[in-house]
Amino acid sequence: MPDSPVVERIAPEFEALLPRFFEISKGDAEEMRTALNNGDFETLNRLGHTTRGTGCGYGFKGMGEIARSIELAAKARDFDKGQEQIGRLFRYLESVQIEFGE
């Protein structure tokens, strides 16, 4: 069953930054996929950690939760879980709905 779109409430001052935020986040997700496919769990862990912090910093709690799962998969060297969570991250980035407000 596909994940339902998540609605995140984001502070209005971030609105102008979001196009670049999503561009970078999608690039990071691609790097995660490459790291996982190369068995580079250290890089996957680092990217997951950075993504968690950045996502939460902007108010994207769902992104932070997914990134935390990616970190845990990397620490466990669990390829299948990493692949599953990276897929979730891509779907999240494509489908998240944003409401602006405090």
Side-chain angles (χ1 to χ4, degrees), residues 19-97:
R20 181 81 174 129
F21 171 82
F22 280 105
E23 178 184 333
I24 290 169
S25 296
K26 289 174 184 177
D28 288 347
E30 287 291 347
E31 282 189 61
M32 288 180 198
R33 181 178 282 155
T34 298
L36 179 65
N37 288 334
N38 291 333
D40 185 352
F41 291 99
E42 291 77 21
T43 297
L44 181 60
N45 182 51
R46 179 182 52 77
L47 288 167
H49 181 78
T50 300
T51 298
R52 177 169 55 114
T54 304
C56 289
Y58 273 77
F60 291 98
K61 295 177 188 139
M63 183 178 179
E65 292 170 13
I66 296 167
R68 177 67 178 141
S69 295
I70 292 169
E71 280 185 273
L72 293 173
K75 288 177 182 176
R77 302 181 75 81
D78 186 335
F79 180 89
D80 292 336
K81 188 69 166 178
Q83 190 172 44
E84 173 189 318
Q85 295 306 309
I86 292 167
R88 274 186 70 209
L89 179 58
F90 274 106
R91 290 188 301 277
Y92 174 91
L93 291 170
E94 291 296 326
S95 65
V96 65
Q97 298 175 5

